[in-house]
Amino acid sequence: MKANSGKAWNGFCFLVGAGGTGKTTLSDLFVASAEGEENRIGKIQEVARTIIRERGIHQADLADDGLFNDLQVCIARRQLVEERKHQITSSEHGTLVISDRSVIDALVYSIIREDSDLQRTKNTVFQRLCELVGDECNGREVIDRYQSALVVLVHPFNDKDTVDDNVRLLMNNEELHKYTAVCQQILTLLDIPFVDLRERNKNVRLNLLQDAIRCKQNK
């Protein structure tokens, strides 16, 4: 876990990580566990599958680099719109906002596909973020929001744990762990604090997430 940024928590909790690692399951478990508090929890619905459906994209199409990166731009910008909507609600009503997708995931997918193993710096990563979300102003907005959020990086175990939904990009074990390593690097370069969640058992994962959120709420 990286050190806390020192910024006040903005009420957001982002579950980041490769597809199929259990982010949606964990998010749903958390919402379901908050008996009597459901009206104080906002959930950002996944935008990726919606965009894929809207554009008529098939799983096999994701092998096309140009299409894949255009898709990440669409996902990042739609996610940003949803985050802005929920930020207003969170500020007005003090709600907790949980999201099992993030702009960071779109950024990581884009970087892995585009630059292979080229050297990554804070500046090159920030520039790519700005390209994804439209401009530098939006890029700084994203960084500020995520630096003030609880960011949880959900680790994979092996490719046998992932479920093929015939929509998402399928990754083997090596690719899953590479994604996680690059995600750690990107978060570190952008000075975004994060918690590494390595547990496999879903109930243990839920307990750890609840503890992390309570810690934020009590500060």
Side-chain angles (χ1 to χ4, degrees):
M1 177 178 177
K2 278 179 59 74
N4 191 284
S5 65
K7 295 184 177 181
W9 185 39
N10 58 11
F12 277 86
C13 174
F14 293 103
L15 305 179
V16 304
T21 54
K23 302 187 299 294
T24 299
T25 298
L26 179 56
S27 173
D28 289 343
L29 282 172
F30 176 77
V31 173
S33 71
E35 292 184 31
E37 294 291 326
E38 294 90 343
N39 63 333
R40 296 189 60 80
I41 299 176
K43 187 175 187 297
I44 297 179
Q45 300 300 322
E46 183 190 350
V47 301
R49 283 190 181 87
T50 301
I51 293 172
I52 288 171
R53 270 197 313 273
E54 290 173 352
R55 300 183 66 174
I57 296 172
H58 300 285
Q59 192 178 55
D61 299 332
L62 300 177
D64 182 291
D65 289 344
L67 181 148
F68 183 80
N69 283 306
D70 286 346
L71 178 62
Q72 302 316 309
V73 170
C74 291
I75 290 172
R77 296 183 185 185
R78 185 80 63 88
Q79 175 73 21
L80 179 57
V81 169
E82 293 302 314
E83 290 174 12
R84 285 170 173 165
K85 291 178 183 176
H86 281 79
Q87 184 154 354
I88 293 172
T89 303
S90 178
S91 298
E92 290 179 349
H93 304 290
T95 56
L96 182 156
V97 180
I98 190 164
S99 178
D100 55 16
R101 294 298 184 275
S102 69
V103 174
I104 297 299
D105 285 316
L107 176 62
V108 174
Y109 276 120
S110 176
I111 285 175
I112 288 176
R113 182 66 69 96
E114 283 196 344
D115 75 0
S116 185
D117 290 320
L118 295 177
Q119 183 178 10
R120 303 180 189 105
T121 65
K122 184 173 185 175
N123 184 59
T124 58
V125 170
F126 178 67
Q127 289 305 314
R128 182 57 188 142
L129 172 62
C130 294
E131 291 169 7
L132 281 179
V133 295
D135 56 37
E136 185 173 324
C137 181
N138 289 342
R140 295 195 182 282
E141 176 190 338
V142 169
I143 290 178
D144 183 67
R145 180 175 297 113
Y146 282 71
Q147 286 178 340
S148 302
L150 171 61
V151 177
V152 179
L153 175 54
V154 182
H155 284 243
F157 291 91
N158 58 66
D159 50 4
K160 294 179 181 178
D161 291 325
T162 62
V163 178
D164 184 3
D165 57 8
N166 295 312
V167 177
R168 293 176 299 194
L169 180 71
L170 285 180
M171 292 188 283
N172 60 34
N173 196 42
E174 180 180 352
E175 291 168 333
L176 286 168
H177 287 280
K178 178 179 180 180
Y179 180 100
T180 305
V182 173
C183 193
Q184 288 175 314
Q185 181 188 36
I186 298 310
L187 290 168
T188 301
L189 286 171
L190 296 177
D191 298 317
I192 297 173
F194 63 95
V195 176
D196 281 303
L197 186 57
R198 302 175 186 272
E199 294 292 336
R200 183 168 189 164
N201 181 278
K202 64 182 182 181
N203 292 319
V204 176
R205 283 184 170 192
L206 175 60
N207 290 337
L208 290 172
L209 178 61
Q210 290 170 326
D211 288 345
I213 289 175
R214 274 194 292 267
C215 183
K216 285 287 188 180
Q217 290 172 326
N218 293 333
K219 283 189 176 180

